[in-house]
Every structure is written in structure tokens, then in C-alpha cells.
Amino acid sequence: MKKRILISTGGSGGHVIPATAFYDHLKENFEVYLTLDNRGSKFINQNKYNFEIISSPRLTLNFIKLPLTFISLIISILRSIFYLKNKKIDILIGTGGYMSVPFCIAAKILNIKIYLFEPNMVIGRSNKFLLKLSTKLFCYSDKIINFPEKYINKMIIINHIFRKEIYNFNNCIKEEIDKKINLLVVGGSQGAKIFDKEIKNSILDLSKKYKLMIYHQASSSDFSNLEFFYKENNIDNKLFNFQENIFQYIKEANLAITRAGASTLSELAFFKVPFIAIPYKFATDNHQLENALNYEYNGCCWILKEKEFDQDKLTSLLINIIENKDDYLNKKNNLEKFCYQNTWNNINEKVISSLNEN
């Protein structure tokens, strides 16, 4: 009889996307269940994945809201205990965020194995709290900032985990950057006004010098404004939202401007697309900057800090990248080295064997 696994996720796309990747890897060997909160359900293909919506309280240290938060947490833990017992779950996988807390506490009460997942270079606060309850934690590096030394032995280092469909796109032939600049602009699942408003001025500057095709992930509030901008300036473009399959655009791109969420950077690296990272300056514990610095250290990207960002700096950097082919090609080669061992089978075997350990 197959073991039963519950994957608990929600919140932002950065939590939900890895959860769907784990689902893809595990569904053939285990009976897999998937739970999300309402917020997280916006970032999943509802035609492809079966899931249940289970609300979880946002945890806060606000003194006034603390009693209500505590009561809500207790209710969520009791609901989680009922769910885990009813589904006869053997293993719980939490992909981070406040959504995983009630299920992890409930799993510990029921003596169910708990596996956490941390994709960032700074351990998330929920994961840090839950480490003491967990069996193991999947992650990409043994140099995660703020990771408690006493739990180092719980780390399972894996290659970057992706949804299965990404491997169908990886052998595409890209246009060389000197013939046409296929620029991908990715603001992330939580939106980024700077990507909808500020970056377009640099794109306009570039369009006067080079042939461009822009693939722009836009927030719904600025979709029509960007549509008008590109049409007015006769710039070839494709606008898309977070719900669409981003792989079809990454595979065409030969350069990207992006936030520094772990999932997005992993996907750009896998497709060997050199990128300019503009980390979100309000990201918890500055984890987006640390994510970007890891790629910069490996010679894979350029970084522009948001507090230092302006149109002239971005335009100058873009022109320098396009004109200085050696630097661009060096980063592209480094990305290939960064991901050369990342195959479906390698990750699949590592994850499944880890979950099957006694």
C-alpha cells in the first residue's frame, strides 16, 4: 500500500510553485494530497492539480491581536489533526510560510514525519520555528543564513526542484542577443509596480537602438497601460499574468529583468537566461538580495538594488550587457555549469529515497 503524503502550502507563488513540483515528483509513488489557503489558490493550475482549501491564520506578534491569533491557531491545529487522521497521512511536507504551522504542529502531536522545504538563502521564520518539530528539511545550499547550527544534520541538499513540464522546454534554440534582444520582465506573483512603470522607460530607450521583443509579466491593474505603451511606441511585446505558463516565455528570452524570488531565479538559471536581479527591498530578512548574491557569486547575473535603482542606471547596464558580449556569454556559460546536474531523474530519486528512509 502506498504511503500517504500531504503537501501543505499557500500564500505566495514562491510557496505554491515548489509544492506543485513536489506533487509532480511524488504522485507516481505515493498517494499525494495538496492543501492551500485562499490566497495561494490564485497561483495554481486548477485544471491540473487536485487540492483542498484550508484557511490558516496569519501569525502576528501584535499585542492587541495576539489573543485572537492564538484562538485561531488552536482551532486551525484541531482542524489539521482531524484532517491528518481522516486522510491517514504518513508524511507531511511543508513548503514554508505561516500556512504550514498548524499542520506541522498537528503532525508532531500525531507523530507524523515532517519534511520542510526552504528554497531561499535565508531561512524563513516559520521554517526556523518548525525545524525543532521536523524530521528533515530539503534545501539547495548548506550555507543558508540564520540556519541554527544544531539542526544542520536535518538538511537534505537537493538540486533545484521544478514542475515536470519545464523539462519539455529546455532544449529550445534561442536567438543570439546580437540579432534580437528577447527581454523577459518578471515582477513576481505579488506584483511589482517598479516593473510596470519604471522599467518601461529603459525599454523605450533601448528600442531606439536595438530590435526588441518584450515578454512582460504585468499586474492586472497596469495591464492596459502597458498594452497602450507598447502599441504607442511600436515595440513588439507579449503581456502575460502570473497564472500563465511562464516557461513558454522564458524559453524564448535571451535576457531577463526580475525580482529575486527563489523559484523565478531557479527557472531562469535552468533555461540559461542571464538576468538582472532587482531584489524586493522589503522582502523578509532581505532574503531576495541574498538569493541574488548567491547567483552573482557564481557569475550568473547582475544586481541592481532597488534603493539605488533609476532609469539611467538600468539603461546603461542593459546597453553594456548587449555591447559587451564576453561578459554576457560568460554568465550564460556559468548558468549552464550551475544547472548541469539538474535532471528529473536525479531529483526524483533523491527526494523519494529521502522520504522512504525509516
Side-chain angles (χ1 to χ4, degrees), residues 271-302:
F271 281 101
K272 299 176 281 293
V273 180
F275 57 87
I276 299 170
I278 306 177
Y280 180 48
K281 63 182 178 181
F282 296 117
T284 306
D285 298 323
N286 217 10
H287 71 264
Q288 286 207 4
L289 176 60
E290 296 299 335
N291 290 345
L293 286 170
N294 182 49
Y295 284 92
E296 184 187 53
Y297 175 79
N298 286 283
C300 299
C301 75
W302 304 266

Side-chain angles (χ1 to χ4, degrees), residues 2-56:
K2 290 183 178 180
K3 289 183 180 177
R4 297 184 173 196
I5 293 180
L6 171 65
I7 303 172
S8 170
T9 188
S12 69
H15 297 300
V16 175
I17 289 174
T20 59
F22 274 104
Y23 187 98
D24 286 352
H25 275 279
L26 301 176
K27 64 183 180 180
E28 300 298 329
N29 293 275
F30 303 91
E31 190 172 340
V32 185
Y33 299 85
L34 182 62
T35 61
L36 298 88
D37 61 358
N38 281 305
R39 187 173 158 224
S41 64
K42 296 183 293 185
F43 308 119
I44 192 168
N45 184 337
Q46 300 189 19
N47 296 319
K48 182 177 178 182
Y49 297 98
N50 294 319
F51 61 90
E52 295 181 59
I53 301 291
I54 296 182
S55 298
S56 182

Side-chain angles (χ1 to χ4, degrees), residues 321-335:
I321 291 169
I322 295 165
E323 298 294 334
N324 182 5
K325 300 292 190 302
D326 289 341
D327 186 29
Y328 170 85
L329 291 173
N330 185 48
K331 285 180 169 52
K332 192 172 180 180
N333 290 334
N334 288 335
L335 284 167

